[in-house]
Amino acid sequence: MHGDSCNATKGICGTKGTFNSMNYPGWRHNAIEWTDNNGDLWLFGGFGLSYSGGQGYLNDLWKYNVLSNEWAWISGDTAIDKQGTYGSKGVPNVNNMPGSRFGSVSWVDNSGNLWLYGGLGFSIFVGSGHFNYLWKFDITLGHWSWESGDVFLGQNGFYGIKSNSSPSNKPGSRYISTSWSDGNNLWLFGGWGPSPLSGGFLNDLWKYNVMTNEWTWVNGDSLVWQYAKYGIKNNYAQLNKPGARINAISWNDNSGNFYLFGGNGLTESANGMLNDLWRYNSFTNEWAWISGDSLINSLGSYGSLGTYNQLNKPGSRQESVSWVDTIGNLWLFGGYFNSNYSNDLWKFNTQAKMWVWVGGDNLPNQKGFYGTKGIGASANKPGSRRMSSRWIDKLGNLWLFGGLGKNCTNNIYSLNDLWKYKICYPA
C-alpha cells in the first residue's frame, strides 16, 4: 500500500499535521501503534532512520488515513535520540513530548485516546535507559500528557498488596513487554526490567485504571526469572501462571479474555523460545494454558495450508505481530527464532482451539513479493521479518508496517513498507 519495497529510506515528513500522498515514515522497528475510534492508524517512535539521516531512537508520531492512503506527521522530532519534555503530571500541553524510544507498549481507551508506557530510550536527562512512565495523547486536543511513573531511569516497581489498587503502586521500568486493554483499564505483562534484587525477565501482571489513575498488581511475581506453572491444558487454576518472558504477543477476544503467546522466556524448567498460548480471565484472575508446548524451542507443525487440525501449531518465536479479526479469531504473523526470520501467517479459532496456517511460507528467511502497489493478489506476500507494527481497521483488514527483515532482494534490512491483508468474512 505504501513505502519502499527494497532499500527503505529515511521517509518524507512534509508539513506537520498535513496529509500528503508523498509523506511516509522512514524505516524502523520496535515502534508502537494504535487504531483510533475513526479507524485511522497511528505510529510512534521505534529504532530507525531519522529524516536527517542518523540511525537511533525516534519519537515521531504519525497518522495514516486508510481511505486516502496518506500519511501525516503529527508531532515529535525529525532527529534521533531526543530527550522528553514532561510538563506537569496529568496536564496536556502543546510542548509536552515523550523522549525517543523503542520497545514500549500501547493502548487505546474508550475515549479513543492513545496511551504509551515504558520502553528503552531517552528521558529528560542525558543518557539512555529503560523507564516506567505512562503517557497519554489526547486525540481531541492533539497534546501529550505525562500521567504516571518516574522521570528517572531504571526504577524498581512498588507492588503494594496484590489485587489492591493504591496511588503509590507502580510497575518498575521495563521494555519489550506485552499489553491489553478493556477500555477503562490498561493491562501490562512482563518484559525486561528490574526487581528489588536484580534485573531480568518479568511475569508480573498489572492493571491501570484510567479513571482513578491507579495501578494494581494483579497476578504473577514481583521477582525476575520466575518459572511457569502450566497446570492442565484448557483448565483455569489460581496456581497457573506464564513464565517470565520478553517479546511475547497478545490478543483480546470478543468475550473479554486476554491471550498471550510465545516470546523468549521460561517454562517450568528451562529458558528459551516459546510457543505456548495462554488465556487470562480477568473476572476470576486465573490463567489457562490453551495450546502449544510447555517446552522451549519447539518447531512448528503446519499441516495443509488453509486446513484446521488439532496437531497444527506455530513454532517457538519472539517479536511476532498479532491481530484479532471482527469475529474473534486470533491472527499471528512472522517473528524470529534461532537466527531465522519468518513470514508465516496463522489463525487461531478460539472456539475450536485450533490453529490453521493461512499464508506465507513454512520455511524461514523468505523474501517479499510486492506486486503492484495498491493492488491485491494471491501471490503477494511480505518478506520474513520481526519487530513490525500492526493494526486492524474498521472494515476488518489487517495492516502491517516495517520491522527488520527480508526485502524484495532477499537481504536483511530495516523496512518501511505498509501492507494490507483483506479477510473474506466469515473467516
Side-chain angles (χ1 to χ4, degrees):
M1 295 298 297
H2 219 298
D4 301 293
S5 62
C6 287
N7 297 329
T9 67
K10 61 185 181 181
I12 298 174
C13 290
T15 303
K16 187 176 285 188
T18 302
F19 287 99
N20 190 295
S21 61
M22 301 298 293
N23 295 346
Y24 59 95
W27 65 255
R28 66 194 63 202
H29 54 80
N30 253 332
I32 57 171
E33 68 284 314
W34 306 266
T35 303
D36 68 23
N37 289 349
N38 294 322
D40 292 319
L41 316 181
W42 295 74
L43 179 75
F44 175 86
F47 184 92
L49 184 65
S50 76
Y51 313 102
S52 57
Q55 297 183 32
Y57 301 106
L58 304 168
N59 75 335
D60 49 346
L61 179 67
W62 289 80
K63 182 178 180 181
Y64 176 79
N65 186 305
V66 299
L67 298 179
S68 67
N69 188 30
E70 292 178 330
W71 285 101
W73 168 43
I74 300 299
S75 74
D77 298 286
T78 60
I80 59 170
D81 301 346
K82 302 297 289 186
Q83 294 167 230
T85 301
Y86 284 70
S88 300
K89 189 174 284 188
V91 180
N93 188 286
V94 66
N95 295 317
N96 292 347
M97 176 56 55
S100 301
R101 76 204 45 219
F102 86 107
S104 304
V105 293
S106 60
W107 305 269
V108 178
D109 65 24
N110 281 336
S111 300
N113 297 310
L114 317 180
W115 294 76
L116 153 68
Y117 178 87
L120 179 67
F122 289 80
S123 177
I124 61 175
F125 304 107
V126 175
S128 63
H130 52 290
F131 23 75
N132 72 335
Y133 45 71
L134 179 70
W135 287 84
K136 180 174 73 172
F137 184 80
D138 189 299
I139 286 286
T140 303
L141 295 176
H143 299 333
W144 287 100
S145 58
W146 166 39
E147 296 292 325
S148 177
D150 304 293
V151 298
F152 299 101
L153 303 173
Q155 297 296 294
N156 287 323
F158 186 84
Y159 285 77
I161 301 171
K162 190 175 283 188
S163 299
N164 287 10
S165 66
S166 169
S168 59
N169 291 350
K170 60 181 181 180
S173 301
R174 65 189 66 199
Y175 69 111
I176 46 182
S177 304
T178 311
S179 62
W180 304 265
S181 174
D182 62 20
N184 284 324
N185 296 297
L186 316 179
W187 296 75
L188 174 72
F189 175 86
W192 194 100
S195 76
L197 299 178
S198 64
F201 292 6
L202 296 158
N203 75 333
D204 49 349
L205 180 65
W206 290 82
K207 178 175 68 173
Y208 177 82
N209 187 304
V210 301
M211 306 301 293
T212 65
N213 190 32
E214 291 183 350
W215 285 100
T216 305
W217 172 35
V218 176
N219 202 306
D221 301 289
S222 59
L223 299 176
V224 296
W225 302 115
Q226 297 300 296
Y227 289 106
K229 177 64 176 177
Y230 283 87
I232 301 171
K233 191 172 282 187
N234 293 315
N235 284 15
Y236 287 105
Q238 286 290 332
L239 294 178
N240 292 350
K241 60 180 181 180
R245 66 190 64 199
I246 60 173
N247 288 319
I249 57 172
S250 63
W251 304 265
N252 295 53
D253 70 14
N254 289 349
S255 300
N257 298 301
F258 303 155
Y259 287 80
L260 174 76
F261 175 86
N264 181 359
L266 282 75
T267 63
E268 291 186 336
S269 60
N271 181 12
M273 295 294 183
L274 306 170
N275 75 333
D276 49 349
L277 178 66
W278 292 80
R279 184 171 63 200
Y280 175 77
N281 186 316
S282 62
F283 298 102
T284 64
N285 188 24
E286 291 179 328
W287 286 100
W289 169 38
I290 299 297
S291 178
D293 301 295
S294 59
L295 304 173
I296 61 172
N297 304 333
S298 296
L299 298 178
S301 179
Y302 286 78
S304 300
L305 188 66
T307 302
Y308 282 104
N309 190 297
Q310 291 285 357
L311 299 177
N312 292 349
K313 60 181 180 181
S316 298
R317 65 191 68 198
Q318 64 175 329
E319 299 169 338
S320 306
V321 294
S322 59
W323 304 267
V324 179
D325 65 30
T326 59
I327 60 175
N329 295 308
L330 316 182
W331 295 72
L332 177 155
F333 175 84
Y336 181 74
F337 171 70
N338 196 25
S339 300
N340 291 313
Y341 296 73
S342 300
N343 73 334
D344 47 350
L345 180 65
W346 291 83
K347 179 173 63 174
F348 184 78
N349 186 303
T350 58
Q351 300 302 312
K353 297 184 178 67
M354 286 193 293
W355 287 101
V356 57
W357 170 38
V358 177
D361 299 288
N362 59 358
L363 296 174
N365 304 320
Q366 300 298 300
K367 70 177 181 179
F369 186 84
Y370 285 76
T372 303
K373 189 175 284 188
I375 305 297
S378 59
N380 293 349
K381 61 179 181 180
S384 300
R385 65 188 65 198
R386 59 195 281 209
M387 299 183 290
S388 301
S389 301
R390 85 291 183 268
W391 308 264
I392 185 163
D393 65 25
K394 295 183 73 173
L395 299 177
N397 299 306
L398 313 182
W399 293 78
L400 176 74
F401 175 84
L404 179 66
K406 295 282 187 171
N407 67 358
C408 70
T409 62
N410 209 30
N411 292 308
I412 296 290
Y413 278 100
S414 282
L415 305 164
N416 74 335
D417 48 349
L418 179 66
W419 292 82
K420 179 174 73 172
Y421 182 83
K422 183 176 176 64
I423 300 173
C424 295
Y425 291 97

